[in-house]
Amino acid sequence: MQQRDKYRLALLAACAIALHGFERLIPTPIPWLRFGFANIITLITLTLYGFNAALTITLIRILIGSMVTGTFLGPPFVMSLVGGLFSVTAMWAALRVRIFGALGLSLIGALFHNIGQLLAAYAVFIQNLRSILIIAPVILFLGTLTGVINGLAVIFAMAHLKKLSQNVQNTP
Amino acid sequence: MKIAELIGQTTLPDRALLVLLLAVTGVSMALVPLMLPHGGQIRIEVKNKLLYKLPLTEDKAITIDGLTVEIKGGKVRVAESGCPGRICVKQGWIDSGAIICLPKRVVITVEGTSSKPNKGVDATT
């Protein structure tokens, strides 16, 4: 990996941390509903730099993000960590299948993020399968909606990046 | 970017996946409330241990670990939680489903009455 790529990854990680921290300020109708905007960054990194880079950025984001928001090692941290690992692995697997675009990858990421969180909630905090099953459809449905938003954001961002890099290449 | 251009950026599997996810989660969201028992009684579990089993018919307020659970008029709510998120408090009154407080690991579930007094054969028959 080139030195320039390392700087870019650091920048991407910084963006992810900022999104992770600031999305908590957006009021949502349901208090625990998060948009997961940081997944936009994860997905862009995954497409541009591959699995290792995306995994690194996810881990940096969750570690530093939890310190910024003061939830390090608390329940939200555990949920983020498991969700993040599930999501990045699933998106990488889906990317290798090569039939999905940014929207599909984002949906898969959101789905597995939520599956990971539900499993973590069951395994670590609440061994009550019924309450987990009651809440699961709602969480997965909302995750699909936020997955669409993030997927569209990735499409826009990638189109913009492509235009920028073309401009750079065309200038002598 | 125009709408048509945007749709052009998605693949057929993308769209199929979106429709599938919306359908499956939408239908199961509609089905779950139908299967939940209403009224009856509540179970309060703390750290996966059953602490209380209370009838919803009796108005009552109990405090567990700084968490105040209030039962009134066949419904239950968490009146005060003392934790930063207060998600359980914001959920308000419920008569089916569950209230879950992760930080204190308290689960309040509404279930049907187990004894079913109206369906059994009573002593006089």
Side-chain angles (χ1 to χ4, degrees):
Chain A
M1 186 181 287
Q2 293 175 3
Q3 193 66 27
R4 207 174 52 180
D5 286 341
K6 280 189 189 162
Y7 291 138
R8 285 185 179 153
L9 286 188
L11 260 178
L12 284 168
C15 290
I17 294 164
L19 287 174
H20 181 95
F22 279 110
E23 73 176 5
R24 291 164 62 103
L25 301 177
I26 302 171
T28 50
I30 310 159
W32 41 256
L33 173 64
R34 300 262 177 273
F35 287 99
F37 289 139
N39 201 40
I40 299 170
I41 305 292
T42 312
L43 190 45
I44 291 175
T45 315
L46 186 67
T47 340
L48 295 180
Y49 298 100
F51 178 70
N52 285 343
L55 183 65
T56 311
I57 285 206
T58 307
L59 290 175
I60 293 176
R61 189 248 308 167
I62 292 164
L63 219 63
I64 300 187
S66 71
M67 290 175 186
V68 170
T69 54
T71 52
F72 184 56
L73 294 184
F77 171 77
V78 178
M79 309 272 281
S80 290
L81 186 63
V82 179
L85 293 179
F86 263 70
S87 145
V88 73
T89 314
M91 288 195 297
W92 168 71
L95 186 70
R96 287 179 58 114
V97 180
R98 290 176 183 280
I99 56 168
F100 293 109
L103 177 65
L105 292 175
S106 171
L107 285 172
I108 288 168
L111 175 70
F112 278 88
H113 190 274
N114 286 324
I115 290 176
Q117 290 203 317
L118 287 168
L119 288 177
Y122 179 73
V124 185
F125 304 109
I126 288 156
Q127 265 96 43
N128 184 329
L129 193 60
R130 250 191 57 191
S131 26
I132 301 280
L133 286 178
I134 290 169
I135 199 81
V138 184
I139 288 183
L140 296 181
F141 178 75
L142 293 170
T144 306
L145 297 185
T146 60
V148 172
I149 298 173
N150 291 335
L152 295 182
V154 171
I155 292 176
F156 280 120
M158 292 298 281
H160 188 67
L161 285 176
K162 207 172 164 189
K163 216 193 289 175
L164 280 183
S165 72
Q166 271 165 0
N167 286 347
V168 168
Q169 277 160 12
N170 291 340
T171 40
Chain B
M1 197 185 277
K2 286 179 194 123
I3 301 279
E5 232 175 297
L6 191 65
I7 293 172
Q9 292 279 321
T10 62
T11 65
L12 190 64
D14 281 357
R15 285 170 250 164
L17 181 68
L18 175 60
V19 172
L20 181 77
L21 279 176
L22 285 179
V24 170
T25 54
V27 167
S28 43
M29 242 187 349
L31 286 181
V32 162
L34 298 180
M35 296 188 298
L36 291 180
H38 283 256
Q41 58 182 2
I42 58 161
R43 293 161 63 91
I44 301 178
E45 284 165 50
V46 181
K47 298 192 171 68
N48 302 318
K49 278 203 197 91
L50 179 64
L51 275 198
Y52 295 95
K53 234 176 173 173
L54 298 167
L56 267 177
T57 44
E58 221 171 281
D59 292 0
K60 200 171 182 178
I62 52 169
T63 305
I64 313 145
D65 191 15
L67 195 102
T68 310
V69 180
E70 197 181 348
I71 304 172
K72 205 172 173 185
K75 291 185 172 196
V76 63
R77 73 158 174 173
V78 176
E80 188 48 64
S81 68
C83 53
R86 291 165 52 85
I87 288 170
C88 47
V89 179
K90 286 177 193 155
Q91 201 179 339
W93 295 98
I94 64 160
D95 62 355
S96 71
I99 301 176
I100 299 168
C101 171
L102 265 192
K104 305 207 173 194
R105 299 178 65 189
V106 176
V107 181
I108 304 163
T109 352
V110 180
E111 53 181 24
T113 349
S114 49
S115 50
K116 288 181 183 139
N118 298 331
K119 287 182 185 165
V121 181
D122 63 46
T124 52
T125 42

